Amino acid sequence: MPRTRLFETLDRALADSDRATSVVLVCAPAGAGKTTFLADWAHRTRAQPGRPAIAWATVDEQDNERPALQAKLVQAFRGTEHPRVREICEQIANPTPGQPFPLASSLAELDEPVCLVLDDAHLLHDPVVLSDLEVFLRTQPDLVQVVVCGRFEPPLAFQKLRLDGRTLDVTFDDLAFTPEEAKALLAEHDVELDSDNLSVLMERTEGWAAGLRLAGMSLAEHPDPASLLENFTGCRRAVADYLMEQVLDGQSEEIRQFLVKTSVPATFSAALAEELTGRADAHAIIDVLEHRNFLISRIETSPTLFRYHPLLRSYLRAEISLLGREAGAELEHLTARWYARLGDALPALEHGIAADAASHVESVLSDAGLALVLDGHAETVGRLLADAPRSIRDRPISRLVRVAAHLREENPIVAGSILSSFDDHGADDESAFRTTLLADTLRLQLAVHTGDLGYARARPVAADGVWSGDPHLDAFAALQRGLGHLHLGRLGPAEYNLERARTHAREIESPRIEAQTSTALGIVALCRGLLDDALSLAASGHSKAAASGRSKAAASGHSKAAAASRSKASDGDLSVSVDDQPADNRWAPLLEAFCHYLRNDTERAFELAGAAHASSPSTVEDNAVAAQLFGLDTAPNRRAAVSALHAATTSGRAAPRPPGLIAVALPSIEFAYLQIGETTWARELVTSASTVLGQCGDVALLESVLHLYANQLERARVALRPVLEGDLPCAAATNVVTAWLVEAELARRRFHDARVHDALGEALLLAEPERVLRPFHYMPSSSRELLSASRGRFGSRGSFADRVWASLPKTAVATTEKLTRRELQLLAELPTWRTAEEIAADLSVSVNTVKTHLRGIYRKLGVTTRRDAVTAARTHGLL
């Protein structure tokens, strides 16, 4: 198969005008595709005019004698069919064993370039032959270039050539197939894989040509590629046969034992290899394996780590069973204890479970189980414990860590099932307190996650002062307590616990918990109307979440590998499931979006809600509502857009949310419904808000607005009064701004102009510090005109009033001809659907007077019916 990128690399090196590169060294393990690549390149080169002649020599054991090797090289040069080369070769006499290598001096007479490919050069070991070949490489003629190919580097003076800049190294990494090249190779077997299956294959083979070729042969006409790839390991017959014949053949029994024992961990250091094998020369053996390119890779960490190719490791792990069950368990236990001493909990847990070392696993989980879950390894830890023997799985700490993992993975059903049967008194006396605290905290987390806040509401406030002294557990407990209070609308206790959680998170350097606490504190700030603080905390949450993702992506090789499940470890799978975004940080984009929306930056708010909608499945319904709401201003068909908003709000039960995060959006939604005349939707919204939030200022505000639109002014005023007087606090402080604007509209309809001005002044006073603009956009155009008329009369708030006015849509003028005061009074009666006679009696005027005013209203609004007049008035903000 053509390897274009490699061909081009080789061509550039050998075509260098100053001939700086005289030697190309192609070294890679068996099955890497070295010879095939060079053979394809040679065939391609011979077919192109003006390219160097190619001389090809394949070395074998018999060439470890001077005459045999020279004869082979002469034959290779003669095979180029280059006239001058053939002529020179005819003049070279076969040397005697004591004669030096005459080839270099003879080829000095060449007048055209020639490239010698010396394949399987790793088989050369005779000192005399190697000395001659080294002289040839150092003194080779200007027009001769050499490609040395082998499984490992023969002992020649390549380092000196490298220092002189005369070599090009082609390694296993260079020869490894890319996904696109792998697709082309599989196509030769009539195999086509989708992207997911191709990724699995690339992970298993790491681009190793032999592995890909064997996979292609196995996959040809196989009915279930996914199933085959799941079981495509070193134990598969074709792969095992290749490994035995091409990789392990010729290895001594001591080396094979070394390989088998060091395959237990996914990665190992020289010191761990000594521990597992009992060999003091482990480092020397590793050096030999590295030098011989034995499908082993070096990981540049401190200390240096090594790993076998996944397919080779899975084969070697299968060989462990030949040592016996007890010996295999002891190797696992040795590995587990090693990682425990290093403080690397995940591989210590994995290997402890594999060894069925219950006491070891309990110790690891007690010390670091919760930390592993909080650090993003929930899926791996949960899977390891679920597959563990019952003696491990049923331990109290194991069950609680499984609960934490399931909740982290947003699987509350299984978590609740485990918790429901958990006995807090199952732990011994020494660990009873911490176990009970963890169980209590997990129950609280489950209650918040499911929205069943009865448990959280019943917990004594004194529990906020109970701590364990373990910074991970205390950080987790403080976070869950803070979230519990936040979801109950208790901002003070929420802030206290969240601040404590953030302090602990910084102490244990946990960006995940810090991200979650920053976001939750941002919601507290939003509930209090502190938008600057909320935005700053939201940005901090994003930053810490990103830092958490980067820290996991940069995790050491052994930690990544040890995170694999026991079932996959036997297959050589080195993957680890590390979450990109903390689930409890899911509110961060929505928090930021609402801050921008309240400042009337609807474009940015819509963008953030859309991104959150795409990336946070757990809040998909809330994000959908937000995206519909934020997009209303630019919707080409407002009625259709509001209908879509209503559909989103009633599509199903959204995830549990903090009350303030719900309340902040409610006025916008209600005004949107009422502006298109959907009073039924608005009434349903008040009912559902009352159910979720209870009796609070936000619900009273919604009731007041509903009465206002029905022209029930006194009922609207009565509902609004406790909000304005502070007797009924709002879950979202910004709704108090809206309350004063509603008061201004009530005063306008009662023709109390002074009260209108005072109410507008209060709204500006509350809105100015945090630059809250959006509530002013709910005002009908007539109230906006009063705001304009009062410009210059708001004192120190005048500049902010100008800013509010500048932000308002300039198409809000209701008509080209203003309605009179009496017409506005009569217009307010139209939605009541009382007859003209009933309206006349209530206003103490004649029916004819009412009808005259109605005709004036219809004319000015450009309508002909009462229903159309109501719709037009609401559209233009007159109702």
Side-chain angles (χ1 to χ4, degrees):
M1 194 204 80
R3 309 290 302 277
T4 304
R5 62 182 177 86
L6 295 176
F7 293 165
E8 292 175 350
T9 299
L10 201 54
D11 286 343
R12 283 194 299 270
L14 297 178
D16 196 357
S17 59
D18 59 4
R19 299 288 175 182
T21 302
S22 59
V23 177
V24 175
L25 185 59
V26 182
C27 284
K34 308 177 292 297
T35 300
T36 302
F37 150 59
L38 289 174
D40 289 344
W41 171 80
H43 178 75
R44 175 175 173 267
T45 300
R46 289 187 182 114
Q48 296 177 343
R51 300 296 299 277
I54 304 295
W56 186 289
T58 300
V59 174
D60 55 36
E61 278 291 340
Q62 285 69 37
D63 294 324
N64 280 289
E65 295 181 2
R66 178 183 286 162
L69 181 59
Q70 174 162 295
K72 180 160 289 186
L73 295 181
V74 170
Q75 181 182 2
F77 278 103
R78 186 181 292 119
T80 62
E81 299 182 357
H82 190 289
R84 181 58 183 152
V85 174
R86 290 176 64 87
E87 182 181 337
I88 292 172
C89 289
E90 293 295 338
Q91 298 172 1
I92 297 176
N94 291 331
T96 64
Q99 286 181 320
F101 218 41
L103 192 59
S105 58
S106 300
L107 292 175
E109 304 176 22
L110 281 175
D111 55 2
E112 292 190 33
V114 176
C115 180
L116 169 65
V117 177
L118 193 62
D119 194 18
D120 284 346
H122 62 278
L123 295 176
L124 296 176
H125 53 77
D126 179 76
V128 174
V129 169
L130 290 171
S131 176
D132 285 349
L133 187 56
E134 186 172 308
V135 171
F136 175 73
L137 293 177
R138 286 203 312 266
T139 62
Q140 67 191 73
D142 291 339
L143 294 179
V144 175
Q145 292 168 301
V146 181
V147 177
V148 178
C149 176
R151 294 186 181 182
F152 54 87
E153 189 175 307
L156 299 170
F158 289 115
Q159 196 58 34
K160 176 65 168 61
L161 292 172
R162 286 191 182 97
L163 292 174
D164 293 339
R166 295 177 57 195
T167 64
L168 168 70
D169 286 285
V170 179
T171 66
F172 178 69
D173 289 340
D174 299 314
L175 291 168
F177 277 61
T178 65
E180 288 302 315
E181 290 172 340
K183 286 174 65 176
L185 186 149
L186 293 173
E188 295 181 358
H189 297 278
D190 296 324
V191 173
E192 183 176 351
L193 298 178
D194 59 31
S195 58
D196 290 340
N197 284 328
L198 182 62
S199 296
V200 171
L201 179 60
M202 294 301 294
E203 185 177 346
R204 293 293 174 92
T205 64
E206 297 185 347
W208 185 39
L212 289 169
R213 182 69 72 181
L214 291 169
M217 294 165 60
S218 300
L219 286 165
E221 300 181 2
H222 195 280
D224 187 1
S227 173
L228 186 145
L229 291 174
E230 183 67 24
N231 297 291
F232 186 74
T233 70
C235 301
R236 192 169 185 84
R237 182 60 180 272
V239 180
D241 288 346
Y242 185 89
L243 291 172
M244 286 189 292
E245 294 172 5
Q246 298 296 324
V247 178
L248 297 170
D249 185 48
Q251 301 296 334
S252 68
E253 182 59 26
E254 289 183 345
I255 295 298
R256 289 178 73 107
Q257 287 289 313
F258 181 91
L259 295 171
V260 169
K261 291 179 179 180
T262 54
S263 71
V264 172
T267 61
F268 58 91
S269 63
L272 178 53
E274 286 185 17
E275 184 90 2
L276 291 169
T277 63
R279 297 186 63 110
D281 61 346
H283 200 293
I285 294 175
I286 294 171
D287 284 344
V288 170
L289 293 174
E290 266 201 299
H291 175 72
R292 293 181 176 274
N293 270 330
F294 184 78
L295 287 176
I296 188 173
S297 302
R298 173 187 290 258
I299 302 171
E300 296 296 346
T301 56
S302 182
T304 303
L305 297 174
F306 304 91
R307 56 182 286 272
Y308 298 122
H309 187 279
L311 292 176
L312 175 61
R313 181 179 177 238
S314 59
Y315 174 83
L316 294 172
R317 284 190 62 85
E319 293 285 293
I320 293 175
S321 62
L322 300 178
L323 301 177
R325 182 175 179 180
E326 289 187 6
E330 179 59 23
L331 287 171
E332 295 283 3
H333 204 179
L334 280 171
T335 305
R337 291 197 299 266
W338 177 273
Y339 282 118
R341 289 197 298 270
L342 292 178
D344 204 342
L346 200 54
L349 175 64
E350 176 195 1
H351 293 287
I353 291 174
D356 196 6
S359 60
H360 168 87
V361 171
E362 185 173 40
S363 176
V364 171
L365 291 177
S366 297
D367 292 341
L370 181 62
L372 286 174
V373 171
L374 298 180
D375 285 344
H377 298 292
E379 189 271 338
T380 300
V381 171
R383 190 172 65 235
L384 287 171
L385 290 174
D387 294 339
R390 183 173 293 276
S391 60
I392 292 174
R393 194 170 64 246
D394 287 347
R395 298 248 172 162
I397 188 62
S398 298
R399 298 176 68 187
L400 290 179
V401 172
R402 284 181 65 200
V403 170
H406 283 300
L407 287 174
R408 180 66 186 81
E409 290 294 296
E410 299 195 74
N411 190 357
I413 295 176
V414 177
S417 176
I418 298 173
L419 267 180
S420 65
S421 61
F422 181 77
D423 181 4
D424 288 16
H425 303 291
D428 58 46
D429 292 341
E430 294 182 4
S431 59
F433 172 73
R434 287 177 59 185
T435 301
T436 300
L437 178 60
L438 178 56
D440 185 55
T441 304
L442 290 170
R443 290 189 182 102
L444 176 59
Q445 184 185 14
L446 179 63
V448 172
H449 189 99
T450 59
D452 181 12
L453 297 175
Y455 176 80
R457 197 173 286 111
R459 292 179 73 255
V461 177
D464 286 348
V466 177
W467 309 104
S468 69
D470 177 349
H472 282 94
L473 179 53
D474 288 345
F476 181 61
L479 173 61
Q480 299 311 322
R481 290 168 184 171
L483 292 173
H485 286 303
L486 180 59
H487 278 73
L488 290 171
R490 303 168 180 168
L491 300 186
E495 185 174 35
Y496 165 77
N497 281 282
L498 292 170
E499 287 288 4
R500 179 148 189 162
R502 186 160 62 166
T503 299
H504 283 305
R506 288 169 177 168
E507 177 187 354
I508 61 178
E509 297 181 346
S510 174
R512 286 178 173 273
I513 294 184
E514 195 171 348
Q516 296 169 45
T517 54
S518 293
T519 298
L521 285 167
I523 295 176
V524 171
L526 175 64
C527 294
R528 290 174 170 164
L530 305 175
L531 303 192
D532 281 335
D533 290 349
L535 281 170
S536 175
L537 287 161
S540 176
H542 283 307
S543 172
K544 294 302 177 183
S548 174
R550 287 194 299 270
S551 68
K552 292 305 165 187
S556 65
H558 61 281
S559 293
K560 288 182 179 180
S565 69
R566 179 63 188 150
S567 62
K568 288 194 175 182
S570 62
D571 296 341
D573 188 302
L574 302 176
S575 64
V576 57
S577 174
V578 178
D579 308 308
D580 295 327
Q581 175 76 3
D584 289 330
N585 199 41
R586 58 186 179 271
W587 299 113
L590 205 55
L591 165 63
E592 189 178 355
F594 270 117
C595 290
H596 285 287
Y597 179 69
L598 289 169
R599 286 180 170 168
N600 206 47
D601 186 357
T602 54
E603 183 177 345
R604 177 60 177 154
F606 181 79
E607 177 185 343
L608 287 166
H613 188 184
S615 63
S616 303
S618 61
T619 56
V620 62
E621 293 175 350
D622 293 289
N623 296 326
V625 171
Q628 292 290 348
L629 176 62
F630 301 155
L632 286 180
D633 286 356
T634 56
N637 185 329
R638 186 171 181 82
R639 171 169 285 278
V642 174
S643 296
L645 171 64
H646 177 255
T649 59
T650 57
S651 62
R653 190 181 75 84
R657 294 102 66 196
L661 204 57
I662 302 172
V664 72
L666 292 177
S668 298
I669 297 173
E670 184 178 42
F671 278 113
Y673 290 166
L674 291 172
Q675 285 167 0
I676 65 168
E678 292 292 349
T679 55
T680 301
W681 293 355
R683 196 173 295 110
E684 290 171 350
L685 182 67
V686 175
T687 302
S688 61
S690 178
T691 301
V692 174
L693 301 177
Q695 189 57 35
C696 61
D698 313 271
V699 174
L701 171 61
L702 297 181
E703 292 173 343
S704 177
V705 171
L706 196 58
H707 293 316
L708 173 65
Y709 268 72
N711 204 37
Q712 298 168 347
L713 303 187
E714 186 57 31
R715 295 181 66 181
R717 192 162 176 267
V718 169
L720 193 62
R721 185 180 298 117
V723 181
L724 300 179
E725 294 177 355
D727 297 332
L728 201 57
C730 289
T734 51
N735 284 344
V736 181
V737 177
T738 306
W740 279 107
L741 293 174
V742 172
E743 171 67 5
E745 176 61 14
L746 286 171
R748 182 192 70 79
R749 294 198 184 186
R750 290 174 175 269
F751 307 107
H752 295 163
D753 291 348
R755 181 61 178 165
V756 171
H757 177 77
D758 291 343
L760 288 175
E762 289 293 335
L764 291 168
L765 177 66
L766 293 172
E768 182 180 18
E770 297 295 331
R771 305 183 299 285
V772 179
L773 299 175
R774 191 65 198 180
F776 293 92
H777 287 243
Y778 309 147
M779 299 167 59
S781 60
S782 48
S783 291
R784 295 173 185 170
E785 290 172 5
L786 288 174
L787 177 64
S788 177
S790 297
R791 291 171 71 183
R793 297 173 52 206
F794 291 114
S796 60
R797 298 183 294 280
S799 60
F800 182 68
D802 291 341
R803 181 173 181 175
V804 170
W805 177 255
S807 76
L808 297 173
K810 297 302 179 279
T811 58
V813 178
T815 63
T816 56
E817 186 177 353
K818 291 184 179 179
L819 300 179
T820 64
R821 175 174 291 191
R822 178 62 78 177
E823 287 172 340
L824 288 171
Q825 188 178 15
L826 180 58
L827 180 64
E829 295 289 340
L830 295 187
T832 66
W833 302 108
R834 293 189 295 168
T835 64
E837 289 77 9
E838 291 171 330
I839 296 174
D842 187 57
L843 296 179
S844 301
V845 296
S846 68
V847 174
N848 287 335
T849 299
V850 170
K851 292 181 178 179
T852 298
H853 287 311
L854 283 176
R855 286 193 293 271
I857 291 171
Y858 292 172
R859 177 179 58 79
K860 292 177 181 180
L861 293 179
V863 298
T864 57
T865 67
R866 184 172 182 170
R867 181 178 296 277
D868 290 343
V870 171
T871 301
R874 284 174 172 161
T875 301
H876 293 297
L878 298 174
L879 283 177

